[in-house]
Structures are given as C-alpha cells and as structure tokens.
Amino acid sequence: MFTKTALRASSALAFCVFATAATAQDTTITIATVNNGDMIRMQGYTDQFTEQTGIGVEWVTLEENVLRQRVTTDITTNGGQFDIMTIGMYETPIWGANGWLVPLDDLSEEYDVDDILPAMRGGLSHDGTLYAAPFYGESSMVMYRTDLMEEAGLEMPEAPTWQFIRDAAEAMHDTENEVYGICLRGKPGWGEGGAFITVTANSFGARWFDEDWNAQFDQPEWEEALTFFVDLMNSYGPPGYATNGFNENLSLFQQGRCGMWIDATVAASFVTNPDDSTVADSVGFALAPNSEGVEKRSNWLWAWALAIPAGTQQEDAAKQFIEWATSKEYIELVAENEGWANVPPGARTSLYETPAYQEVPFAEMTLESINAADPTNPTVDPVPYVGIQFVAIPEFAGIATEVSQEFAEVYAGQQSVDQALENAQALTNDAMEAAGYR
C-alpha cells in the first residue's frame, strides 16, 4: 500500500511538470532559503525536480537573520538576485501590497490551493490573493524531557503556566551534568529572540503599542515579562543564552542538555528523530505557557513560504518549483523516504486527515497550537496592529531588531532591565514619529 502511494505521488509530480520539461532544459532558478532542517531536506530532493522538468536549481542557504537582510535588500532595490525567496507571514502581505511579489493566483487545479490551512493561506495573502505558498507552517509549544520531569516528581499540564515552567526548570536544572532546566531564544533579531520575548510579553498582558501607536515599554506588564524571562534564564538557562537562537537551542536539546525548550512546533520532528537526537524517545509536548490570570498564551503563528519576486525572468519555472515543493505529492515523497514524522508540517489540511500522520506523537499538539493562534487579536488590551510575534507594519523589522539588541544586552549582563526598556521606549517612539504614525 505504501509503495503504491509513493508511486502515485511520483507519477503526479511528473504529470504536473511533463508538459513544460522539454522547453526548460536551459533554465536555472536561484532560490534563497533559511538553514532550517526542513529546507535542507528539500534541497536533497531537488535533483528529482530537475530530472522531471529540466529546470536547474541553485541554492543560497543562509542563517535566518542574514536571509532576512539579503532578501529584503534585494526586493527593495529590485536587485534580481533570486527567482524564489523564502519569506514569511510578516513580509508577504506587505510586499504583496507593494507589488513586489508575483501573485500565485493561477496555480494548477491539481495543486489544490484550498487544501492549504486557512491560517496559513490568510497570513500569506493580501486582499484575498495568495502571494507565497507555505513550505511548512508552525506555532510554538513546550518540548520537554519526560524522563527528567518524572524524576522531578512533576507532571506537565497540557496547558502550563509560566509559573509551572519556572518550577519545573528549577527541579530539572543539573549543572553538574550540564543539563539546564530550560533553553529559550535570546539571540538578537526581530525574528529570533525578538519574536520570543514578544510572545512572552503578550502572555503577561503586554503589547507593543496602544491604539494611538504609542510604545508601551514603559508599562508594568513589559517590566514583569522581561524581568521574569531574565531571572528564569539566568537561574536555569545555559551559559551564553544571549546568543542562542532556534538552531543553537535545537542542538542543545538534541544533545540532552535542556530539560525544556519552548520554540517552533516544526522542531518536534528533529528532537524525536533518533538519528539526530539523543533524547528522541523521551520527549513530551504541551501548549506554550501563559502567565497566571492572563488568557493569552505565548504561542505564535508563522510559515516559511516560497514567493517569487516581481521582475524575475524565470516566473514560469519558479511557479513550477513552488507547485512541486509545496504540494501534497512532495509530502508523500518525504514520507516514503523518511517517514511521516519528518514531512513538512502545518501547511495542508489533508496532512492532518491522513491516518498515518495522526499517529505521529506531536501532530495533534501542533495543529492545536496553530489553531489557537489569533494574529488579529494578539494581546489582552486592544492594539491597532495584526501579528502575534511581530507587528505587521513595514517599520517593524528595523525597530524590533534594535529593541532585541537592547534586550540581548540585558541577557548578557551589560545593562539593566529598566535601562533596556527605557531605551526601547525612546527608540520605538522616535521611529514611529519619524514614520508618521504619531
């Protein structure tokens, strides 16, 4: 049965691209992507796409912060370095509205756009038009060592509070054996440590702006959230957490050095893969935490997606690649070779209706976390913006990168919480005034 499914997948992929293969022999597309595991895995299958279509693929694989800088510079200057860019829910609607991306409104019927999860389709569209196709989608959740939790005499709730997380981190912290109670992002960058501290602040009742676009870093909720985070990590986090992002914490967790890790749901396949993770058979999952008495949880909503910059000379070839890489058939191809636990998650409804995938231990929690995220209502108090771990305005990336650097100095012991929040308040209000929001 499994082999027949794989054959159908391969046949469908070949059928979709056969008509243009003969005319594409001399075509090469250049793709900028992030150095995350699923993207690296996709590169390993690219030869199959080339064999079926004749379209060559050149990859530019970059660390997350560098990728954001490179593609932003290229798109805003019409640099033309890339035929496909890996971007997310922050950039896509803004760049689509500016006319910087090719609309994906003519994908084939076989591709089945309606199968894309509504949360992903909505976040990658502008005025109802899709501008990027999700390779995978994610929220965030707690990943924890079940063996250490049991040794500590604790049981992880399905929906923990930050206060429980702190108690559990203390109980599991064992510096003699280089096991740290908790690993969290501190690395500067709006999509790295900046994203994590933003969702943490949301769960303490904080917000970036009030309804008149005044910065809110001078409010007690931000002080409580940042102070809690710093105390938690200084007490029970790994040394040098100020420079740890997704990949650094993934490595620590796989080495068995983290009692808990709160991060992207997409990491679940890597921490449970026995080929890469020393703790693969002792990992549990829970919803991202909230603070006691606050309804908002600290989970985000994101997709790494493939988009075509306007002005590319390889639009048709780029669309063929996007259809191939984000299709149902590609998911089956990965499942055939690497198992259902390793397919790109969070993008398609049909994946979560597949019986074999329903048996994957983190599938249900991933979907529950994605469905619980509400980017139109991200905070306790009203806000004038959309976005959970980001504010969907063009100025945000620059502002939040600076703010995250201020916070990273706190994590590194170079300034106080109060000083960082004062600096964040001033630089954010100055930038918003210069941009005409205030």
Side-chain angles (χ1 to χ4, degrees):
M1 178 67 72
F2 197 68
T3 303
K4 290 180 180 178
T5 300
L7 289 172
R8 287 198 300 268
S10 300
S11 297
L13 285 167
F15 176 78
C16 289
V17 297
F18 177 78
T20 53
T23 61
Q25 297 298 318
D26 298 324
T27 300
T28 298
I29 57 174
T30 302
I31 305 175
T33 198
V34 66
N35 64 341
N36 287 355
D38 280 293
M39 300 306 193
I40 301 299
R41 180 179 287 130
M42 175 171 58
Q43 294 175 40
Y45 292 103
T46 303
D47 286 348
Q48 296 190 32
F49 171 77
T50 299
E51 289 172 6
Q52 294 164 3
T53 64
I55 299 171
V57 179
E58 293 183 354
W59 291 95
V60 179
T61 306
L62 303 166
E63 185 271 331
E64 184 171 326
N65 285 336
V66 178
L67 173 75
R68 297 185 196 281
Q69 294 168 358
R70 286 280 299 275
V71 299
T72 299
T73 299
D74 193 66
I75 200 82
T76 55
T77 61
N78 197 26
Q81 295 183 54
F82 310 113
D83 302 299
I84 295 176
M85 296 176 168
T86 305
I87 60 176
M89 288 185 171
Y90 168 66
E91 300 94 345
T92 300
I94 295 172
W95 294 1
N98 287 343
W100 295 346
L101 300 175
V102 174
L104 300 181
D105 54 2
D106 58 352
L107 299 178
S108 69
E109 184 177 348
E110 293 84 359
Y111 178 77
D112 193 4
V113 170
D114 291 339
D115 185 52
I116 297 174
L117 284 169
M120 300 302 156
R121 195 165 65 244
L124 297 170
S125 298
H126 172 69
D127 282 349
T129 298
L130 188 72
Y131 282 94
F135 183 69
Y136 69 76
E138 66 181 34
S139 184
S140 51
M141 64 183 178
V142 182
M143 292 161 279
Y144 66 95
R145 291 271 301 278
T146 55
D147 55 337
L148 298 183
M149 190 71 69
E150 183 177 354
E151 289 175 16
L154 297 173
E155 183 175 346
M156 175 69 76
E158 180 179 328
T161 64
W162 277 114
Q163 289 69 27
F164 176 87
I165 294 295
R166 181 184 175 87
D167 291 344
E170 180 180 10
M172 291 189 286
H173 194 61
D174 182 5
T175 54
E176 289 186 6
N177 292 303
E178 291 189 280
V179 175
Y180 308 104
I182 190 163
C183 296
L184 300 174
R185 300 188 192 190
K187 188 176 187 176
W190 73 262
E192 279 277 10
F196 192 87
I197 195 61
T198 293
V199 294
T200 301
N202 292 346
S203 68
F204 278 80
R207 53 185 176 166
W208 265 78
F209 299 102
D210 67 14
E211 293 181 281
D212 296 318
W213 293 104
N214 297 303
Q216 296 295 286
F217 295 105
D218 59 354
Q219 297 303 301
E221 293 84 0
W222 261 106
E223 182 175 11
E224 182 183 5
L226 188 57
T227 298
F228 179 90
F229 177 85
V230 171
D231 288 347
L232 175 68
M233 294 302 292
N234 285 348
S235 299
Y236 310 118
Y241 73 89
T243 59
N244 287 351
F246 174 86
N247 283 326
E248 291 81 7
N249 285 325
L250 171 61
S251 179
L252 286 171
F253 195 95
Q254 289 177 321
Q255 294 169 30
R257 297 176 64 188
C258 305
M260 291 175 291
W261 179 31
I262 305 170
D263 212 297
T265 53
V266 72
S269 68
F270 303 113
V271 299
T272 57
N273 186 337
D275 293 336
D276 301 316
S277 176
T278 63
V279 296
D281 60 350
S282 57
V283 182
F285 306 96
L287 292 172
N290 67 313
S291 185
E292 289 181 0
V294 178
E295 294 182 1
K296 296 295 176 184
R297 309 200 75 80
S298 54
N299 62 306
W300 61 62
L301 185 67
W302 186 253
W304 278 119
L306 304 179
I308 304 171
T312 176
Q313 302 302 304
Q314 309 292 352
E315 181 177 324
D316 289 344
K319 284 185 178 178
Q320 285 188 66
F321 183 87
I322 287 176
E323 286 210 23
W324 175 81
T326 65
S327 66
K328 298 176 191 178
E329 291 77 21
Y330 176 85
I331 290 173
E332 292 190 26
L333 179 66
V334 176
E336 174 199 1
N337 288 280
E338 303 185 44
W340 282 100
N342 294 308
V343 304
R348 286 188 170 271
T349 300
S350 57
L351 176 62
Y352 293 91
E353 296 172 345
T354 302
Y357 194 71
Q358 291 171 355
E359 297 177 7
V360 172
F362 50 82
E364 182 179 355
M365 184 59 67
T366 295
L367 185 60
E368 185 176 351
S369 298
I370 288 172
N371 288 338
D374 184 2
T376 63
N377 187 32
T379 55
V380 173
D381 293 325
V383 290
Y385 56 83
V386 171
I388 301 176
Q389 77 275 29
F390 59 84
V391 177
I393 57 174
E395 296 79 12
F396 178 77
I399 297 170
T401 296
E402 290 190 57
V403 169
S404 73
Q405 290 167 344
E406 295 288 342
F407 291 169
E409 290 186 18
V410 180
Y411 310 154
Q414 297 171 356
Q415 67 175 334
S416 67
V417 167
D418 288 344
Q419 186 60 60
L421 291 172
E422 182 180 337
N423 293 346
Q425 179 76 6
L427 72 87
T428 300
N429 275 338
D430 286 349
M432 295 299 283
E433 186 170 343
Y437 287 82
R438 303 175 65 242

